[in-house]
Amino acid sequence: MKKAMNNPWQWQDQLGYAQGVEIAHATHTLYCAGQAAMDAQGQPVETDMNGQIRLSFDNLETVLQNAGYSMTNVVRLNFYTTSIEQFFAAYGQIIHRLSMSGCTPSSTLVEVKALAFPQLMVELEATAVR
């Protein structure tokens, strides 16, 4: 698989994402359901935004690994949050997690009124290729 970033500007670099990601010669695509701060029994975990982001990434990585992928394969990562303010207060953790895994996806951030459970504040939706 050949991956090329399409960034006509540089400002997105400090936010850890790409304006576009082109994949040439991909053979497999994995569309992941939204991953949130859920435990192994499917129950929401009540914690702060940092904790929810951490567990959401952990759950995403579990889904990816189970299918033979890693965060490096993620080319699209969308964020849904109930609070943009709290999300950006914890954004350093997202930058760290993406940079540690070598992942620079195209990305969208959307504030929503609610997620599947009232305790949830963030959900990650990813597309991975290889």
Side-chain angles (χ1 to χ4, degrees):
M1 170 186 79
K2 183 178 176 185
K3 188 184 328 184
M5 301 299 158
N6 179 350
N7 288 319
W9 311 282
Q10 283 83 41
W11 60 263
Q12 74 284 324
D13 296 348
Q14 66 186 357
L15 296 172
Y17 73 94
Q19 296 294 335
V21 179
E22 180 182 40
I23 303 299
H25 310 295
T27 61
H28 296 80
T29 303
L30 178 66
Y31 301 94
C32 299
Q35 299 300 311
M38 305 292 282
D39 66 20
Q41 290 72 44
Q43 297 302 309
V45 176
E46 292 192 50
T47 183
D48 64 3
M49 183 65 81
N50 276 309
Q52 289 207 7
I53 289 170
R54 184 183 67 255
L55 186 52
S56 297
F57 268 105
D58 289 349
N59 289 342
L60 175 57
E61 287 185 348
T62 298
V63 170
L64 291 167
Q65 290 169 0
N66 192 60
Y69 292 78
S70 71
M71 284 298 296
T72 305
N73 298 108
V74 173
V75 296
R76 180 89 175 144
L77 182 60
N78 294 329
F79 299 92
Y80 301 91
T81 183
T82 57
S83 172
I84 295 281
E85 183 179 345
Q86 290 179 43
F87 181 85
F88 275 120
Y91 201 71
Q93 180 182 175
I94 293 166
I95 296 292
H96 176 74
R97 194 81 179 239
L98 293 175
S99 65
M100 291 298 295
S101 63
C103 179
T104 308
S106 63
S107 190
T108 298
L109 170 62
V110 179
E111 184 173 280
V112 295
K113 182 177 178 181
L115 293 166
F117 294 94
Q119 306 92 318
L120 297 178
M121 296 180 279
V122 66
E123 189 167 326
L124 314 180
E125 178 186 65
T127 304
V129 298
R130 59 182 166 129

